[in-house]
Structure formats: C-alpha cells, structure tokens
Amino acid sequence: MKYVSRRSFLAGAAASGALPLFNIGCAGFGQGRARRIAQGAKIRVALIGCGARMRTLVELLMSENVVALVDPDPRMIASIKKQMARVPEAGDLSKVRVFFDYRELFEKMGDEVAAAVIATPNHHHAPAALMAMRRGIHVFVEKPLASTVEEVQLMGRVARETGVVTNVGNFGHSTKAMRICVDAIRSGV
C-alpha cells in the first residue's frame, strides 16, 4: 500500500480548493469509465444529502440539471425542493426523482447521472462517493472527504482508475462569492 505524506495530502487539498465546483472539462480527465460531458452542456447532477450543508450549495447547483435528490428524511427533501422552486432557472421540478437511499439512486439512475454532490453525514462520504466513482460518475464531496486516510487513499486510486473528477468542498470555497473571486483572478483582474 502506498502512503501519502501529510504534506502531499495538504498540498493537494489546498490546490483543489481553487477549482470550480465541477471543473469536468480539465485536461487529464475523461479516461476510463468517467462520464463525458459535452462542452457547454448542463451536467446531470444528483444531490445526496439534503440537509443544512446542501441548502447552502443548492442555488449554485441549480445552474446545472439537478435530476435526483437523496435523503432518508422526507422533510429534508421537501425543504430543499421548496428552496429549489425559488430559483428562477429551476425548470420543471416534477422531473427530479427522489430517493431515500443512495444505493437505490445508483441502481435505478446510475446511467443517467454524470455527477453527484455528496453532503451526507461524514461516515457516508466515502461509501457514496466510491459507488458513484465506480460507475464513472464525477463527485464533489463536502469535507471531510472521508473518515480515514485509508478511505481517502482508496478514493484516490478509484478516481485515477476511472478518470472521474473528484473534488472536496470546504465551506468557504464552495460559495458563489468564491466562484466570482476565482473567475476574477483567472480573467486577470
């Protein structure tokens, strides 16, 4: 087993914070089983975990094509659907499928999802992400990426094998304000 030094891990984590939420078009990705997404196409996204953290991300994610919501609590699903309905670009929310278990989502819609945003309780981060990654689905996982270093290393191996984009979110780096800041820096402002 190859171990990653703390310094290397932190350097990689820090570098990923500057990336947009789903930088799927970047060089080096798209090999293996990773879902290809046409330039300019909306990403078909599943939102896994509809609690407080997802509520801070959902408006940003509505610029893509949210196709599924997953949460074991029907009240969380109802709450996030109300929030989604307030977004002007929401479209027809009746087409968004609802699941109470991410395993069922991947079983029934795995071929229809290009990316998953995972904001579940921490102990579900790695299992949900690995299920997605092994199906070629790109993932954005809220911090912490996983519960153990071994889970993080496994996720890294699976990401390399499948070619999926795998990002970890940090509250301050997943907001609309940070996206505007990154866009300004990249444009030379």
Side-chain angles (χ1 to χ4, degrees):
M1 176 183 289
K2 181 183 175 195
Y3 290 94
V4 176
S5 72
R6 182 175 184 273
R7 181 178 297 242
S8 296
F9 175 79
L10 292 174
S16 71
L19 294 176
L21 196 58
F22 280 114
N23 191 6
I24 292 178
C26 63
F29 292 104
Q31 302 87 17
R33 294 184 298 276
R35 302 286 155 86
R36 292 184 180 269
I37 299 166
Q39 185 74 13
K42 288 192 174 213
I43 302 168
R44 296 179 53 82
V45 182
L47 308 183
I48 302 174
C50 297
R53 185 64 192 113
M54 189 64 79
R55 284 193 296 274
T56 64
L57 295 171
V58 72
E59 289 181 29
L60 181 65
L61 295 165
M62 293 300 292
S63 64
E64 300 303 334
N65 184 9
V66 176
V67 296
L69 301 172
V70 182
D71 200 285
D73 186 343
R75 296 171 299 175
M76 294 293 111
I77 299 274
S79 175
I80 205 133
K81 274 190 151 185
K82 283 181 189 172
Q83 185 178 353
M84 291 168 68
R86 292 191 297 263
V87 176
E89 307 86 35
D92 184 4
L93 294 179
S94 68
K95 293 180 181 179
V96 177
R97 294 189 53 193
V98 173
F99 299 92
F100 300 105
D101 186 320
Y102 54 82
R103 295 171 295 190
E104 183 182 10
L105 159 77
F106 294 128
E107 182 181 309
K108 292 185 177 177
M109 283 189 77
D111 293 338
E112 301 172 50
V113 176
V117 176
I118 301 167
T120 59
N122 297 349
H123 62 282
H124 281 280
H125 287 185
L130 286 164
M131 288 182 90
M133 293 160 63
R134 287 180 174 132
R135 286 168 173 77
I137 298 170
H138 306 283
V139 295
F140 177 88
V141 183
E142 270 307 315
K143 73 173 179 123
L145 183 61
S147 297
T148 67
V149 171
E150 290 80 11
E151 286 178 340
V152 171
Q153 291 172 336
L154 175 59
M155 291 169 76
R157 281 195 301 276
V158 172
R160 284 187 296 279
E161 290 167 6
T162 60
V164 297
V165 174
T166 306
N167 286 344
V168 64
N170 181 325
F171 183 75
H173 290 92
S174 301
T175 62
K176 190 172 187 175
M178 184 54 73
R179 292 288 302 266
I180 292 168
C181 180
V182 169
D183 288 345
I185 290 169
R186 287 185 173 161
S187 71
V189 171

